[in-house]
Amino acid sequence: MNQNIKKKFAEYYLYFMMYSIIGWIYEVFLEVVVYRWGFSNRGVLFGPYCIIYGVGALILIFSLGGLQKKRLYLGKVLVTPVLVFIGIVVITTVVELIASYIMEFTQGGWQWDYTRFAFNFEGRIALNPSIRFGIGGMVFLYLLQPLFKKLTGKMSDRTLYTVSLILLILFIADIIYTYLF
């Protein structure tokens, strides 16, 4: 495998894992602190990650990274952040909708119910969570991703590959444990 491709794969896998873990922490925080429902594992696997957040983050990086770097104006007003926000809302809503159908097909149901929110579709998606994902996506793209990019950029290739490989092995073991045992 080309060394540059291998390095990019390792970097993006680390991003996937970091955002999956951050998503899990966010979901558990909402359940325990905000809604006071008590703890439950919010992921579909045993480990502390919600893979939908990792997948969503990678989709946002690949689809909106170029737009984010542009400086688009409407008159004298910079509109790039507004366009990025709208893009995040649309993309995350579509990802969540698709994920609900995949979870329903593979597990018999999905892990959230938005029927209590106005402007919802079958309890799968709703305007309120979509706006929250838009805000979270802005924090992710404009704050976290530059920090994570700097962090992975400072890692030696060996460290990057080792950490990615260890996390990949743990992730595969988790998939096997969750679905076979």
Side-chain angles (χ1 to χ4, degrees):
M1 180 184 277
N2 180 324
Q3 199 65 13
N4 193 35
I5 293 173
K6 182 178 174 183
K7 185 173 182 175
K8 284 291 180 195
F9 180 81
E11 286 174 1
Y12 285 110
Y13 183 72
L14 278 184
Y15 300 152
F16 165 78
M17 289 302 291
M18 287 188 278
Y19 292 118
S20 294
I21 291 168
I22 288 170
W24 184 87
I25 291 168
Y26 168 74
E27 291 283 334
V28 169
F29 175 82
L30 284 179
E31 276 204 345
V32 173
V33 177
V34 176
Y35 302 129
R36 299 182 188 270
W37 293 338
F39 174 81
S40 70
N41 184 357
R42 295 298 296 159
V44 295
L45 300 174
F46 178 75
Y49 26 75
C50 288
I51 57 176
I52 189 170
Y53 284 87
V55 169
L58 291 181
I59 290 170
L60 293 179
I61 290 168
F62 293 132
S63 62
L64 297 176
L67 175 61
Q68 181 187 6
K69 293 173 187 163
K70 293 182 180 182
R71 301 194 54 81
L72 302 173
Y73 291 89
L74 188 59
K76 292 184 179 186
V77 178
L78 180 66
V79 294
T80 304
V82 174
L83 296 174
V84 169
F85 177 79
I86 292 168
I88 292 168
V89 169
V90 169
I91 291 167
T92 56
T93 301
V94 169
V95 167
E96 187 167 45
L97 181 62
I98 292 168
S100 75
Y101 285 113
I102 292 170
M103 290 174 77
E104 183 177 29
F105 179 75
T106 61
Q107 299 175 0
W110 59 99
Q111 292 185 320
W112 56 91
D113 179 11
Y114 294 147
T115 54
R116 70 185 185 280
F117 293 111
F119 309 108
N120 79 78
F121 173 72
E122 296 180 352
R124 297 172 188 271
I125 56 173
L127 182 60
N128 179 301
S130 293
I131 298 297
R132 282 189 283 143
F133 287 136
I135 294 166
M138 293 294 281
V139 169
F140 143 66
L141 274 179
Y142 285 96
L143 260 168
L144 294 178
Q145 184 55 24
L147 290 174
F148 289 162
K149 193 169 188 166
K150 188 179 282 189
L151 173 70
T152 57
K154 289 184 177 187
M155 291 179 168
S156 69
D157 287 357
R158 183 176 181 169
T159 301
L160 179 67
Y161 298 145
T162 302
V163 171
S164 293
L165 182 60
I166 290 169
L167 289 174
L168 181 61
I169 291 168
L170 288 172
F171 190 69
I172 291 169
D174 193 343
I175 291 169
I176 292 168
Y177 174 79
T178 300
Y179 290 105
L180 296 181
F181 297 105

